[in-house]
Each structure stands twice: as structure tokens, then as C-alpha cells.
Amino acid sequence: MSIKVITYEGLKDGPSLVLLGNIHGNEYCGYRGLSTLIRDIDEEKYIVNAGRLIIIPMCNPKANKISKRYVDRDLNRNLFPPKINSKYEDYLANIICPILDSADFLVDLHSFGAKGEAMVMFGGENETETKFARALGFKNYLYGWREFHGISEEDTVYQGTTEYARKSGCRAVTVECGSNSDANSERVAYIAALRAAIHLSILVPPEDPDIETIVYNKNEQQCARITKEVIMRHGMVPVESFTNFQFIKRKQMLCTISDTESIMSECDGYVIMPSEKAIIGDIFFTIAKSCTFPEGKYNN
């Protein structure tokens, strides 16, 4: 089994942008959105103007075929190029990692199991990356994943595509395009990829109002930093069916555990990717604190 890597070279100098879809085999929006973008470029709806555009629409074909997140190793939690290929994803990593090593920018397209709004995840430690993330024109932005988990630059566990790419100086973002079951997530993936390429002047579009349909200006964009993960415990019941990036107030009750114990929100913020299928020991949902966009290093 092989993976398809599409490369477009502009005739003018410019940055290199990598677009990834289907790192997780059961998240189809990236594959479908990028396949549509490839078709539109090939039909010259959009012209490759400068730089290099590399598109891998289906990063994990075998996982896609069996509708699983991954086969042997989650490449968005443990990505590194192994010296010896012993597992299926090892072969994939040795294709994907060298591509990321030479990339200037990365957009990795995903979806999630819960209902709720799309969001862009970025590092928060680099001004160029933050500006790139905001140029995608989404409403919801999240950062602080690496810091919350205490991940060092030497770690490979909890290292996904963006963490790996940043080690080589790449400005990398993840776009969670919506629910796995939401047909619109494919369109969101397409728009995110298209806007990234247009922002970097890699693609030159005709006048197309469709790419503006969900643009939020900077005054409308909202940002949050990860502060807590709620782990599923025996008897834990949410007070309502939360959705992704749902706003919560400080001291708002989120879950009951028993007649005398509950979990309250410690800050104004948002519920991130709640899981109705979580079992004991799994992450039930994440809480992110509402904050301003970071300038350089993390701020409160």
C-alpha cells in the first residue's frame, strides 16, 4: 500500500506549505476537502503562483480502509522517523517526517467525535505562527497543549505532526474542522487549506465569494488556553450534553460524581472536545481558559 503525495511548484520564489489529511483513518474531512482542492488546482480554478504546495490527502490509507484512528501507532501522538520499520505507521512516518523537515508552514486537518464548532490549534509561542493561524479566518482558537502536558522538545510521546514540524522551524497548526458526523466538516477542511495557500501567496484565486463564507475578523476571534483535563471516573455524569468550544462560566457545575461531589469550572472558558464514549480513565473533556491571543511566549 502506498500514499499519494502531490507537489505543486510555483515559478516564483515563495514558502513551502504542507497540507495533511486523514492522519487519523476515521477522520475523513481532510481527505475529502484536500481531494477537492487538488481537483480545483488541476482544473486551474486556482493557479499555483509561487513557492511549493505539498498535499498528502490520505496519510494513513490502511487505517482509512478499516475506519480506525490508526493501525499500530498514533502518528498525531507519537510521530518520529524510526531507524527500522517494524510497524505499519513506521513506514508512513519515514515518508511524512522528511516532508515536514523542509516545510515552512503546515496545516493538519482533523475532525472530532463530539458535536460543536470548528477550531484552530496553534502553539502560542511564535508570532508568525499565531498570525498564520488567525489568517485562516476562524472563530475559535486554542493553544497550550504542549505546555499543559509538559512536553519537551526532546519528547516523542505526545508529539504529533505540529510538534514534530516545529522542531525544524515550521509554523504549524491543526484545524479541527467539526464533528466526524457533520457533512460540512469537509467544506471547512477545504476552506482552511485554501485560505492558508492564498494567505501565503502560493495560490492565486479568481473572485470567489465562497471562501469568505465563514471569515471572522480579529475582533470576532476568540482564544483559549488549555488548563485542565477532566478524567472519567466511576459515577461521573455531565450536567448537560456539552459541545466543542461551548462557553462556560466560572463556578458553573459541569459534572456530578455523587450526591456530595461535583466538578465546577474554575474559570470563564470553554469545554473542548467532550467525549460521550469516554470510559473510566479516559479524558472526558478538556477545559480551556478564555484569554487574549499570546504575543510570543504564553501569557494569562
Side-chain angles (χ1 to χ4, degrees), residues 9 38 43 46 77 126 218 233 254 271:
E9 297 280 358
I38 291 168
E43 293 179 356
Y46 304 103
R77 293 294 183 273
N126 181 275
K218 290 186 176 181
R233 294 165 53 186
L254 304 176
V271 173

Side-chain angles (χ1 to χ4, degrees), residues 155-262:
D155 288 337
T156 56
V157 177
Y158 283 112
Q159 173 178 269
T161 56
T162 54
E163 290 80 21
Y164 177 86
R166 290 184 190 119
K167 291 181 177 181
S168 299
C170 181
R171 309 313 179 200
V173 301
T174 297
V175 180
E176 294 284 352
C177 300
S179 173
N180 295 336
S181 60
D182 185 356
N184 190 55
S185 62
E186 173 185 339
R187 178 65 177 168
V188 173
Y190 173 87
I191 289 172
L194 182 60
R195 286 190 187 149
I198 291 173
H199 170 69
L200 297 172
S201 299
I202 293 173
L203 291 184
V204 176
E207 292 185 5
D208 184 356
D210 286 347
I211 68 170
E212 303 297 329
T213 53
I214 58 169
V215 166
Y216 289 85
N217 64 42
K218 290 186 176 181
N219 293 330
E220 297 173 306
Q221 291 174 343
Q222 53 194 21
C223 185
R225 176 169 57 85
I226 295 172
T227 57
K228 184 175 183 178
E229 287 180 345
V230 176
I231 305 301
M232 173 61 81
R233 294 165 53 186
H234 180 72
M236 184 177 285
V237 179
V239 297
E240 61 180 282
S241 293
F242 291 107
T243 60
N244 188 57
F245 235 92
Q246 179 176 331
F247 180 74
I248 51 175
K249 294 182 179 180
R250 181 174 177 268
K251 295 186 177 180
Q252 179 177 332
M253 183 180 292
L254 304 176
C255 298
T256 59
I257 302 172
S258 65
D259 292 339
T260 59
E261 187 178 3
S262 61

Side-chain angles (χ1 to χ4, degrees), residues 27-172:
E27 299 174 10
Y28 305 107
C29 63
Y31 165 66
R32 293 167 179 163
L34 292 177
S35 296
T36 301
L37 181 60
I38 291 168
R39 182 200 67 196
D40 286 349
I41 294 173
D42 290 346
E43 293 179 356
E44 298 187 345
K45 181 177 180 180
Y46 304 103
I47 304 301
V48 179
N49 174 62
R52 175 180 295 164
L53 178 62
I54 300 175
I55 305 177
I56 310 179
M58 186 184 291
C59 290
N60 199 326
K62 192 171 181 180
N64 174 284
K65 189 173 183 179
I66 61 176
S67 298
K68 298 291 186 182
R69 186 177 176 90
Y70 57 91
V71 178
D72 298 309
R73 173 159 63 95
D74 188 341
L75 292 178
N76 207 35
R77 293 294 183 273
N78 191 14
L79 178 62
F80 63 93
K83 294 180 180 179
I84 299 175
N85 293 330
S86 60
K87 298 179 179 179
Y88 171 69
E89 274 85 6
D90 293 346
Y91 293 90
L92 303 180
N94 273 320
I95 296 171
I96 295 169
C97 287
I99 293 172
L100 298 182
D101 288 340
S102 60
D104 296 314
F105 294 89
L106 165 66
V107 177
D108 187 9
L109 300 165
H110 289 260
S111 58
F112 46 80
K115 295 180 180 180
E117 298 180 356
M119 64 182 179
V120 179
M121 300 175 68
F122 65 107
E125 297 182 90
N126 181 275
E127 184 178 1
T128 300
E129 182 176 293
T130 300
K131 288 181 178 179
F132 174 60
R134 299 189 73 178
L136 300 184
F138 282 74
K139 176 184 176 183
N140 303 317
Y141 288 82
L142 180 71
Y143 75 99
W145 194 86
R146 185 182 68 82
E147 184 192 47
F148 176 80
H149 287 281
I151 303 169
S152 71
E153 292 190 358
E154 291 73 32
D155 288 337
T156 56
V157 177
Y158 283 112
Q159 173 178 269
T161 56
T162 54
E163 290 80 21
Y164 177 86
R166 290 184 190 119
K167 291 181 177 181
S168 299
C170 181
R171 309 313 179 200

Side-chain angles (χ1 to χ4, degrees), residues 283-299:
I283 298 172
F284 195 7
F285 56 84
T286 298
I287 297 174
K289 180 181 179 181
S290 180
C291 64
T292 59
F293 280 88
E295 297 179 2
K297 289 292 182 180
Y298 295 108
N299 61 355

